[in-house]
Amino acid sequence: MPTNKQRPPFRAEHLGSLLRPKELIEKRLQLDDKKAVEIAKDEELHAIEDKAINTIVELQLDLGFHAINDGEYRRHQFWGTFFPNLEGFEEIMNPEWEMFRMYVPDTAAFTETGHKPGETIVCVGKIKHVGSAYLSDWNYLKKLVPPEKVKELKITLAAPEWYHLRYKKGRAYPKEVYANDAEYFADIAKAYQTELQVLYDNGCRNVTIDDPNLAYFCDEKMLAGFKADGEDADALLDSYIKLYNDCVSSRPADMHLGIHLCRGNFANSRHFSEGGYDRIATKLFNNIDADTYFLEYDTERAGNFEPLKELPPYKNVILGVITSKFPKLEDIEEMRNRVFQAADIVAKGAGQTREEALKRIGVSPQCGFASHHLGNAVTHDDMVAKLKLVRQLADSIWPGEP
């Protein structure tokens, strides 16, 4: 049986994106008609980002968090610029709507008035990793903490199937470039393997892949859309699980890998989908080579804790029981009881005691505070209060643990 990894994860976690300061939001809006790779080269933007990152790292340290990141301040949206930095991809500024699967939950939200469809990046040629999209961000971040804390820092990555699920069958890549999904996925996997190794070689030991797509397979509306199109959603999920494993299974043994699932976190606190984890739990927890699952559990739309009985005894779960979408603070005693309820289900599924199960559990908000650069419907003070609550909740259950 594989060994359970700890430190990371930590008892108090957050998912990565934090509210941007006003100056950074305004500069991003000025660049909104530019392509992602052009925005990333803007020197004035970089200076604003540096200043903001310095401040947000200090805040995380002051609040007692260990898996610190840069707030995703260098990103327009949570997935960053991994794909447009690969050879073989390019961004389309005015995409044709018929290329999208309109029943994929985030598509409708991304195409609201005033919003681009989440950056439309498409494959146009053979895919090849030609330079890390994340390395400069990582190297700046690690300069801001003592050397002994570098191994705790976290960087979040785009989901490998992000620019596949949203497009209709046959529109994710040219058929003259890749004959089928298997060929396309093989080159995606090679790019991820290279990226993970580059990050590892530069000191990174803690990565989380942000992936709403996997949670969408719990959404009945999307599943109905696949059925209407004559496509097999279960087979597609299986292909994505294989893609995941091809991307991450060769990572070094001391690199922690988390996967974060949520039901959407668009500008002004909009969610995209609903549905409990029951439908995918067995495959999600047992078939993907991940160490830790960061799960949304702040509302009823994520279902109950029962699917956690499928979690193997060597894997971890971070319970997103505190919402980042709205300012009202949760009752800490109620949250403690929810964590204990989840621990009992984890314990029962793994043949453990509650105390043993709690050693593989942590707490966090259900998602970030600014998956889109405009941010959720909360203030900076609201965000700080929520992060303090996460730390307090963790300390009340696991006193003295990071």
Side-chain angles (χ1 to χ4, degrees):
M1 182 184 296
T3 303
N4 176 251
K5 290 183 180 177
Q6 293 290 326
R7 312 292 191 273
F10 300 95
R11 301 304 179 209
E13 293 266 359
H14 72 82
L15 276 303
S17 66
L18 299 170
L19 290 177
R20 277 79 160 167
K22 182 180 179 181
E23 183 183 15
L24 180 52
I25 293 173
E26 290 176 347
K27 181 60 182 178
R28 280 272 175 187
L29 289 173
Q30 292 173 18
L31 299 170
D32 200 46
D33 61 342
K34 305 288 187 181
K35 290 187 176 182
V37 291
E38 295 175 23
I39 294 172
K41 296 176 182 177
D42 189 282
E43 292 185 5
E44 183 181 350
L45 176 65
H46 271 298
I48 298 171
E49 290 169 343
D50 289 351
K51 179 182 176 183
I53 289 168
N54 295 349
T55 301
I56 204 65
V57 167
E58 283 294 328
L59 175 64
Q60 293 170 78
L61 288 167
D62 290 344
L63 293 176
F65 284 85
H66 288 257
I68 289 166
N69 76 344
D70 63 3
E72 298 179 1
Y73 281 3
R74 300 196 194 277
R75 306 181 187 186
H76 172 69
Q77 303 200 60
F78 65 88
W79 57 82
T81 56
F82 177 73
F83 282 93
N85 271 279
L86 296 176
E87 186 177 290
F89 278 96
E90 70 175 27
E91 182 173 357
I92 300 175
M93 297 304 291
N94 297 295
E96 300 173 357
W97 302 123
E98 60 264 25
M99 71 185 291
F100 295 95
R101 289 178 167 129
M102 294 305 294
Y103 48 82
V104 171
D106 60 37
T107 306
F110 282 144
T111 53
E112 285 181 331
T113 301
H115 291 291
K116 294 186 292 185
E119 296 171 357
T120 302
I121 313 295
V122 295
C123 173
V124 294
K126 285 290 186 181
I127 298 164
K128 183 180 180 182
H129 189 286
V130 290
S132 173
Y134 298 114
L135 183 58
S136 61
D137 299 356
W138 168 257
N139 283 337
Y140 187 86
L141 175 65
K142 73 181 185 181
K143 293 190 303 183
L144 303 180
V145 300
E148 65 273 14
K149 285 188 171 291
V150 170
K151 66 181 183 295
E152 299 177 344
L153 299 174
K154 177 164 67 177
I155 191 165
T156 54
L157 309 182
E161 81 284 17
W162 187 246
Y163 287 113
H164 184 271
L165 177 66
R166 60 169 49 191
Y167 302 134
K168 288 181 179 178
K169 191 172 184 178
R171 300 300 296 270
Y173 51 83
K175 59 184 178 182
E176 61 270 19
V177 176
Y178 292 110
N180 50 49
D181 283 353
E183 290 185 6
Y184 170 79
F185 290 156
D187 280 353
I188 294 285
K190 290 176 185 176
Y192 270 81
Q193 292 165 11
T194 301
E195 184 71 27
L196 289 172
Q197 190 62 52
V198 168
L199 291 171
Y200 182 87
D201 291 343
N202 283 271
C204 181
R205 297 294 182 270
N206 186 15
V207 298
T208 294
I209 295 176
D210 279 324
D211 196 350
N213 283 354
L214 293 178
Y216 296 165
F217 284 89
C218 306
D219 187 271
E220 292 300 329
K221 291 181 181 178
M222 188 184 86
L223 298 177
F226 274 109
K227 186 175 181 180
D229 276 358
E231 292 192 63
D232 187 340
D234 288 328
L236 184 62
L237 176 60
D238 289 341
S239 74
Y240 288 165
I241 289 173
K242 182 182 185 303
L243 169 60
Y244 255 95
N245 289 334
D246 289 343
C247 288
V248 306
S249 294
S250 63
R251 71 188 184 280
D254 60 340
M255 174 177 262
H256 169 263
L257 178 80
I259 297 178
H260 168 226
L261 285 78
C262 81
R263 284 148 189 80
N265 194 41
F266 196 42
N268 300 310
S269 299
R270 175 167 179 169
H271 73 278
F272 299 152
S273 68
E274 298 183 0
Y277 299 100
D278 313 63
R279 195 178 180 281
I280 66 170
T282 300
K283 292 179 179 179
L284 175 68
F285 298 143
N286 290 278
N287 296 355
I288 298 181
D289 183 23
D291 302 305
T292 302
Y293 298 89
F294 295 77
L295 302 182
E296 172 183 340
Y297 268 121
D298 63 327
T299 68
E300 293 181 357
R301 65 174 164 263
N304 58 36
F305 292 129
E306 196 62 27
L308 296 178
K309 68 180 185 293
E310 300 291 341
L311 189 74
Y314 53 89
K315 291 191 176 185
N316 310 298
V317 62
I318 307 299
L319 302 172
V321 293
I322 291 171
T323 190
S324 66
K325 292 183 182 293
F326 305 108
K328 183 180 178 181
L329 291 175
E330 290 80 357
D331 179 82
I332 194 167
E333 283 304 317
E334 182 181 342
M335 295 302 102
R336 278 170 52 86
N337 289 334
R338 293 196 71 204
V339 172
F340 293 142
Q341 291 170 13
D344 288 342
I345 292 171
V346 170
K348 183 177 179 181
Q352 295 178 326
T353 65
R354 174 192 283 189
E355 290 69 28
E356 289 171 329
L358 281 170
K359 294 178 181 178
R360 300 188 287 119
I361 295 175
V363 292
S364 73
Q366 98 294 346
C367 195
F369 291 87
S371 301
H372 184 279
H373 74 96
L374 293 178
N376 290 356
V378 294
T379 67
H380 178 82
D381 288 344
D382 294 333
M383 178 182 73
V384 172
K386 290 282 184 172
L387 292 173
K388 285 182 177 179
L389 182 59
V390 171
R391 184 69 263 178
Q392 290 165 1
L393 176 59
D395 290 343
S396 76
I397 298 172
W398 302 278
E401 296 190 35

